[in-house]
Amino acid sequence: MDLQLKGKTALVLGGGGGLGGAIARTLSVEGANVVVADIDLDAANRTLDALQSAGAKGMALAWDLSELEQIERNVSLIEQQFGGVDVLINNTGGPPPTAVSGQAPALWQKHFEAMVLSVISLTDRVLPGMRARQFGRIITSTSSGVVSPIPNLGLSNALRLSLVGWSKTLAREVARDNITSNIILPGRIATDRIHFLDQKKAEREGRTVEEVSRESTESIPMGRYGEPREYAETVAFLASGAASYITGSVIRVDGGLIASI
């Protein structure tokens, strides 16, 4: 299937990480120009090197999402080199594991700005170009916690859920400009983030990481963690011309983990 992404420009936030890196590689294989953005420029460059070694075009940007003033500068750089963002992958890092109660307002504000306000502000910055070109894909990666809240991930459950309401509302506002807005949520995908969460759970409960991981995989109908590639291929489809009539949706890539309908 031709995903109609050749020559499109995709901005992948968190592109130096496990999920973001896999998304960047998959989009580049489909012929997109990929801008790899990450707070860790070395990680972004490693992803970019892999893309360029396969013959793809792209660029790497250091991007701290908590600093909203970086949006104008970085998007302007992308526009100078590639003419604008056609596909925006909002993939932000997660907050530390915490209970939802008793957290300082400053902590809520810090992660709201990095995980929510940054996504909204960046999307607002690239929307005029998408409208002018009559094409756009806004794909926001969240967490299975927005459907089934995850214990001890209180900040993540609450803040990421706000992006679901935002994305659904946005989808109705931009649909007639051939712009789609969708939420994609991972179950337990084998990344460093999942390994970190397993480690923290093991420490809290006085168990080994192997025990925690085994218990977790047993709760997944497919009996395994997902591969980043599997998640990335779903993102690439949502970014494509083939998914032009899918908008305002929440797509689960979880191996059947979430029990609710």
Side-chain angles (χ1 to χ4, degrees):
M1 178 186 293
D2 179 9
L3 296 186
Q4 303 166 42
L5 287 171
K6 190 169 294 184
K8 301 293 186 186
T9 297
L11 169 57
V12 182
L13 302 182
L19 289 182
I23 292 167
R25 289 189 291 274
T26 301
L27 292 174
S28 71
V29 168
E30 295 298 329
N33 307 314
V34 179
V35 180
V36 183
D38 202 283
I39 192 171
D40 183 345
L41 183 58
D42 288 340
N45 277 320
R46 285 193 292 273
T47 298
L48 180 64
D49 288 345
L51 306 186
Q52 291 179 330
S53 67
K57 295 179 181 178
M59 65 186 296
L61 291 173
W63 202 319
D64 184 344
L65 294 175
S66 68
E67 298 183 5
L68 299 182
E69 64 273 13
Q70 292 188 13
I71 291 174
E72 180 60 36
R73 181 195 68 194
N74 285 339
V75 173
S76 294
L77 289 172
I78 297 167
E79 290 172 339
Q80 291 168 19
Q81 184 155 342
F82 294 115
V85 176
D86 301 299
V87 177
L88 174 60
I89 310 298
N90 289 316
N91 174 52
T92 68
T98 61
V100 75
S101 59
Q103 304 305 321
L107 185 65
W108 282 103
Q109 182 173 352
K110 172 186 175 181
H111 290 289
F112 173 78
E113 290 179 355
M115 295 172 58
V116 180
L117 191 56
S118 62
V119 166
I120 295 171
S121 299
L122 173 56
T123 302
D124 282 347
R125 174 60 179 82
V126 301
L127 270 174
M130 291 180 174
R131 283 187 162 118
R133 293 186 295 276
Q134 286 290 289
F135 180 90
R137 299 289 184 265
I138 300 158
I139 301 167
T140 304
S141 181
T142 57
S143 160
S144 61
V146 306
V147 176
S148 179
I150 302 169
N152 207 51
L153 287 183
L155 289 173
S156 177
N157 295 335
L159 294 177
R160 293 191 194 279
L161 186 56
S162 66
L163 288 171
V164 178
W166 163 80
S167 179
K168 180 69 174 180
T169 307
L170 179 65
R172 296 182 65 88
E173 294 179 1
V174 300
R176 296 204 178 194
D177 293 309
N178 193 33
I179 300 170
T180 65
S181 177
N182 290 293
I183 293 287
I184 183 167
L185 56 91
R188 298 189 67 79
I189 309 296
T191 63
D192 289 343
R193 168 74 174 171
I194 290 298
H195 182 64
F196 168 76
L197 293 176
D198 283 350
Q199 282 183 315
K200 290 299 181 183
K201 184 175 182 179
E203 291 170 7
R204 288 195 310 271
E205 298 179 358
R207 298 194 289 161
T208 67
V209 174
E210 290 73 22
E211 287 174 326
V212 169
S213 297
R214 183 168 59 252
E215 179 182 77
S216 182
T217 55
E218 287 173 353
S219 72
I220 301 170
M222 285 194 170
R224 63 178 178 86
Y225 286 172
E227 294 295 328
R229 170 191 56 79
E230 294 173 304
Y231 191 74
E233 288 174 350
T234 306
V235 172
F237 174 72
L238 290 175
S240 73
S244 58
Y245 207 59
I246 301 173
T247 194
S249 295
V250 177
I251 310 296
R252 308 174 185 185
V253 185
D254 68 344
L257 171 64
I258 300 169
S260 63
I261 295 173

